[in-house]
Amino acid sequence: MQAKKETATIRGDVVPFQTKMAQAAQMLIAIAEHFSTAPILTVTDSWFGNNGLWKPAHKAIGSRFNILSRLRCNNVLYDRPEKRKPKQRGRNKKYGQRLGAATDMAKTVQQKARSYTVNLYGKQREVRAYSRVVMLKTLKRPVQVVWVFRRTQWIALFTTDLSLSVTQIIEYYGARWKIESGFKELKQDIGSQKSQCRNAQAVTNHLNFCMMATTLTWIYADRLKTDPERRHKVKGRASFAFSDIRRIIAEAALDPGFERVCPKYSSSPVNSVVAVLLRMVA
């Protein structure tokens, strides 16, 4: 499916068509402008881990911007160029010897991997990993690549931040799954993907309402004195789910005392909590 390159108008302003990559870079630049002195480490999947995101973001943000992503198995890696020799003529080489694709190198470095203890998905786990700094042509710069080996599978991660440890790289990328879970909650549980809106401003408002609902749900969960019981139990998983919090909120909303906070009948809706939240979103 291909999107048409047409312009949209929001409140009289013309908004030109942007690809997902361009939108992602624009949002990162806006975040970096707000946190003007903080380092920015962007953790992405392999789709965003290329020069399409890196080049515009790094150009605008500078050296405090770095990326951590999954390396595609067919990405070709090169050694770092040798140091310039005395009286050497010509330009310095940008890339050293060709090392091969990530898959080929995985077979070579697996024997050199060592054990690391990392915090993944809420548990301390033992993984075997190997790290090496190489040149990546897709970003045209040196990156640190970490091959992580588990029983019968492996993945390769890379980052432009050469100061990160192997443990940090694995844990940061592992934490990305929480973001994917958040997308699922926002789209399916709250219903952001079921919008029937037909203009850009309405779609934006709908998404803002859904994000507000998701945020309020987790704030409510954080203030509970005890963890709620998981309705659909999963073997080996003791934590509660997003749907469990929604069920508790629904039960609380049916309680007669809830009308003190959100009254059904009020001659002055300006004073209600709902009206305040609506103004915040607007």
Side-chain angles (χ1 to χ4, degrees), residues 10-164:
I10 300 179
R11 295 178 180 175
D13 297 328
V14 176
V15 181
F17 174 86
Q18 282 185 313
T19 62
K20 289 196 296 183
M21 199 73 74
Q23 292 181 51
Q26 186 181 51
M27 287 187 283
L28 287 170
I29 293 169
I31 292 172
E33 289 175 352
H34 183 76
F35 300 96
S36 57
T37 59
I40 306 295
L41 177 64
T42 302
V43 183
T44 74
D45 58 16
S46 60
W47 197 89
F48 284 96
N50 56 58
N51 212 34
L53 177 64
W54 166 261
K55 186 176 180 179
H58 184 259
K59 182 179 179 181
I61 301 172
S63 59
R64 62 191 182 96
F65 173 75
N66 284 288
I67 192 170
L68 193 164
S69 183
R70 182 168 177 171
L71 190 68
R72 295 186 178 184
C73 60
N74 60 348
N75 277 131
V76 179
L77 307 177
Y78 294 82
D79 202 354
R80 303 184 79 172
E82 296 180 359
K83 293 183 179 180
R84 188 177 180 86
K85 298 178 182 179
K87 299 182 180 180
Q88 179 181 339
R89 295 183 178 182
R91 298 180 181 178
N92 288 341
K93 289 185 177 181
K94 294 182 179 180
Y95 304 96
Q97 183 181 2
R98 188 180 189 276
L99 300 174
T103 301
D104 300 328
M105 288 197 66
K107 300 174 183 177
T108 305
V109 304
Q110 188 170 6
Q111 301 300 324
K112 303 177 183 179
R114 48 168 292 201
S115 181
Y116 293 88
T117 302
V118 295
N119 189 341
L120 280 177
Y121 315 123
K123 292 183 180 181
Q124 293 293 323
R125 303 173 187 268
E126 292 288 329
V127 299
R128 294 179 64 251
Y130 176 82
S131 173
R132 179 170 177 173
V133 177
V134 299
M135 296 296 295
L136 188 61
K137 277 193 174 182
T138 54
L139 296 186
K140 301 178 181 180
R141 63 182 298 107
V143 297
Q144 182 180 184
V145 179
V146 176
W147 285 268
V148 183
F149 300 94
R150 298 294 301 274
R151 294 184 182 177
T152 59
Q153 297 179 337
W154 63 271
I155 64 168
L157 311 174
F158 77 90
T159 178
T160 56
D161 189 348
L162 304 184
S163 65
L164 292 179

Side-chain angles (χ1 to χ4, degrees), residues 217-236:
T217 302
W218 281 119
I219 290 175
Y220 187 91
D222 184 60
R223 298 191 177 187
L224 292 174
K225 294 181 179 179
T226 58
D227 291 348
E229 183 179 354
R230 191 178 182 96
R231 187 175 185 180
H232 303 286
K233 299 185 183 298
V234 179
K235 185 178 180 180

